Amino acid sequence: MAVKTVICIGMAGSGKTTFVQRLNSHMRTKNSPPYVINLDPAVLKVPYGANIDIRDSIKYKKVMENYNLGPNGAIVTSLNLFSTKIDQVIKLLENKRDKFEHCIVDTPGQIECFVWSASGAIITESFASTFPTVIAYIVDTPRNASPTTFMSNMLYACSILYKTKLPMILVFNKTDVCKADFAKEWMSDFEAFQRALRDDQELNGNSGLGSGYMSSLINSMSLMLEEFYSQLDMVGVSSFTGEGFDDFLEVVNNGKVQEYDQYYKAERDRVLKLKEEKEKQRKEKSLDGLMKDLGISDGGKKKGEADADVVSDVEEGENDGLVLPDEFEDTEREYTFSASDRTQGEINDQSAPDLQSAYQEAADRLRKDVSSETAENIAKYVRQ
Ligand SMILES: Nc1nc2c(ncn2[C@@H]2O[C@H](COP(=O)(O)OP(=O)(O)OP(=O)(O)O)[C@@H](O)[C@H]2O)c(=O)[nH]1
């Protein structure tokens, strides 16, 4: 049995964690508890029993201190560190395939830290290449009742769909506060959305938006979104009352997983095969190039005649690859908080490493290595 994986993604505060908590308890009442993974390193408390929690292996605050990072940099670095162990996570989950039908993954509140980072892509790819994987894009329904906010959020969802290429369900959360009927209407009736946009502009006094390029931009964006909506399923849920969770599971089990098998898996296999072939060709080509450079190939140039640039050919100082630092030394730092309210532990200039000379040293070492020892070793190996 393949573990159906649901990756929950959404803007900060859209209710991902509460959604995962409710989905977890909903599935438990159906005697089908899911395997739950928390990938948010910065969360203080997780209101559900997570089977794997990133916080067990990576201490977010220590990452901030040790690498001198801000909150978002620390989330990305924590995910980077975690992604190096993702094969172990996948193995653990594979061993549980007889016990669990579903796996739910909660992601960090800062959506871009997950969606646009290399580690986020690695983690998503790892799940998607092993299990039928679906993205649940959580939307804060009351916050999206304005057509412009709605359209911006849908454009974001669209970019995630095209980035991950995985089946996506739009989950309109918090329907206990505001029903999601308006969203359903806007997604199925282009003219209804246009009307809402016009009304909104009139109401908010943005009549200027209705003319010129802005109006045609909005029109073409909403037309483009119409195409996007046709590939999606939407459900309205309330993580507080539990309303809509049966519909959500129905869409996952009887719609999106089949879509994954029919389209995404087939496409993925095709792309992987293509990549493998390209990689094989690239390796053959670079080996041919190396043989030619070393004067081994029959038709190639003799040794010493190779005209390809190597690092040692670059004139000293001409283009040594070092980027000149900005002149920031004179910038006066301004603070919006008084000194006593600011975080302690500023960086001590005296103890900061001299990066310029460290880079220079590394560049010199590289030149020496590539031009003499390494090239000689490669030549020896190929001759053998
Ligand atoms: N009324 C209502 N409030 C909800 C619902 N789901 C979540 N909330 C509230 O929305 C707020 C954010 O919920 P979280 O679950 O922390 O959202 P999140 O997306 O995980 O937040 P971050 O990970 O910090 O970005 C909390 O105050 C929740 O109580 C819902 O279905 N109805």
Side-chain angles (χ1 to χ4, degrees):
M1 185 170 63
V3 187
K4 297 161 196 153
T5 304
V6 179
I7 302 181
C8 300
I9 295 178
M11 299 279 180
S14 54
K16 295 175 291 295
T17 306
T18 322
F19 174 79
V20 171
Q21 179 191 16
R22 173 60 74 169
L23 188 58
N24 182 21
S25 60
H26 187 81
M27 285 175 165
R28 279 173 191 276
T29 58
K30 307 247 164 207
N31 287 328
S32 172
Y35 194 82
V36 188
I37 300 177
N38 171 43
L39 289 185
D40 189 350
V43 71
L44 282 182
K45 270 192 192 149
V46 172
Y48 47 81
N51 297 83
I52 294 178
D53 193 331
I54 186 172
R55 296 173 309 156
D56 295 340
S57 34
I58 291 140
K59 301 287 173 234
Y60 170 71
K61 285 204 172 145
K62 284 265 174 274
V63 171
M64 274 176 96
E65 280 167 23
N66 293 347
Y67 296 92
N68 249 332
L69 293 168
N72 289 341
I75 292 178
V76 174
T77 308
S78 302
L79 283 170
N80 285 347
L81 294 169
F82 188 77
S83 68
T84 61
K85 304 276 177 217
I86 191 66
D87 55 323
Q88 291 177 24
V89 175
I90 300 290
K91 253 187 222 141
L92 279 172
L93 193 54
E94 271 192 310
N95 292 338
K96 301 270 165 48
R97 59 170 71 223
D98 295 331
K99 220 173 143 201
F100 293 96
E101 198 187 332
H102 295 92
C103 167
I104 312 172
V105 184
D106 191 7
T107 58
Q110 277 76 0
I111 187 168
E112 65 280 9
C113 293
F114 185 77
V115 173
W116 302 107
S117 66
S119 48
I122 290 169
I123 293 170
T124 313
E125 271 288 311
S126 307
F127 279 110
S129 57
T130 322
F131 309 109
T133 305
V134 171
I135 303 283
Y137 186 76
I138 318 287
V139 180
D140 184 333
T141 314
R143 288 272 310 120
N144 284 267
S146 133
T148 37
T149 318
F150 180 82
M151 190 162 72
S152 311
N153 208 344
M154 291 304 105
L155 285 170
Y156 207 99
C158 182
S159 67
I160 294 173
L161 179 82
Y162 287 110
K163 176 149 195 329
T164 60
K165 301 192 176 55
L166 285 168
M168 180 183 270
I169 306 171
L170 290 178
V171 181
F172 286 86
N173 192 23
K174 310 191 187 181
T175 52
D176 53 299
V177 180
C178 170
K179 292 277 170 228
D181 298 341
F182 71 89
K184 205 174 216 167
E185 194 191 357
W186 290 351
M187 287 170 70
S188 54
D189 183 352
F190 173 71
E191 283 181 0
F193 182 68
Q194 291 284 312
R195 263 196 315 276
L197 256 180
R198 259 196 314 273
D199 292 349
D200 185 59
Q201 282 160 15
E202 274 169 22
L203 214 72
N204 295 310
N206 295 332
S207 50
L209 288 179
S211 62
Y213 84 96
M214 205 57 183
S215 150
S216 66
L217 177 69
I218 289 176
N219 278 340
S220 34
M221 280 200 300
S222 34
L223 266 177
M224 185 274 283
L225 282 174
E226 210 181 18
E227 176 72 29
F228 163 68
Y229 297 144
S230 64
Q231 303 181 30
L232 296 179
D233 281 274
M234 71 85 82
V235 282
V237 302
S238 164
S239 304
F240 273 9
T241 64
E243 181 197 340
F245 276 79
D246 280 331
D247 297 341
F248 175 77
L249 282 177
E250 175 67 23
V251 173
V252 171
N253 295 333
N254 297 327
K256 290 292 158 182
V257 167
Q258 277 83 344
E259 194 181 318
Y260 168 91
D261 287 336
Q262 271 171 17
Y263 176 67
Y264 293 91
K265 193 166 178 296
E267 179 65 9
R268 196 171 290 271
D269 291 347
R270 190 189 67 79
V271 170
L272 277 179
K273 209 168 152 212
L274 204 74
K275 264 190 190 165
E276 254 171 38
E277 272 167 20
K278 277 203 172 151
E279 182 60 17
K280 206 171 139 200
Q281 281 172 5
R282 191 192 61 79
K283 275 187 187 157
E284 275 168 12
K285 212 172 146 194
S286 68
L287 190 64
D288 276 357
L290 185 67
M291 303 274 262
K292 268 186 197 162
D293 286 350
L294 294 168
I296 290 171
S297 126
D298 291 343
K301 290 180 177 170
K302 292 282 173 290
K303 193 174 179 181
E305 286 179 4
D307 54 6
D309 280 347
V310 291
V311 179
S312 58
D313 290 343
V314 179
E315 286 274 321
E316 188 78 39
E318 178 197 276
N319 179 13
D320 56 9
L322 293 177
V323 180
L324 291 176
D326 289 340
E327 289 179 357
F328 54 84
E329 282 86 357
D330 294 331
T331 313
E332 195 184 320
R333 176 73 63 88
E334 288 182 318
Y335 296 103
T336 44
F337 289 96
S338 68
S340 58
D341 288 338
R342 286 201 303 269
T343 323
Q344 299 301 304
E346 288 90 348
I347 300 167
N348 176 3
D349 279 348
Q350 302 303 314
S351 63
D354 179 4
L355 284 180
Q356 180 79 19
S357 57
Y359 287 151
Q360 188 63 53
E361 208 177 275
D364 290 347
R365 209 168 43 239
L366 186 72
R367 265 189 211 115
K368 219 173 95 201
D369 285 356
V370 172
S371 57
S372 55
E373 248 180 79
T374 313
E376 197 48 50
N377 286 344
I378 295 172
K380 248 191 232 160
Y381 176 75
V382 175
R383 278 195 207 103
Q384 271 172 13

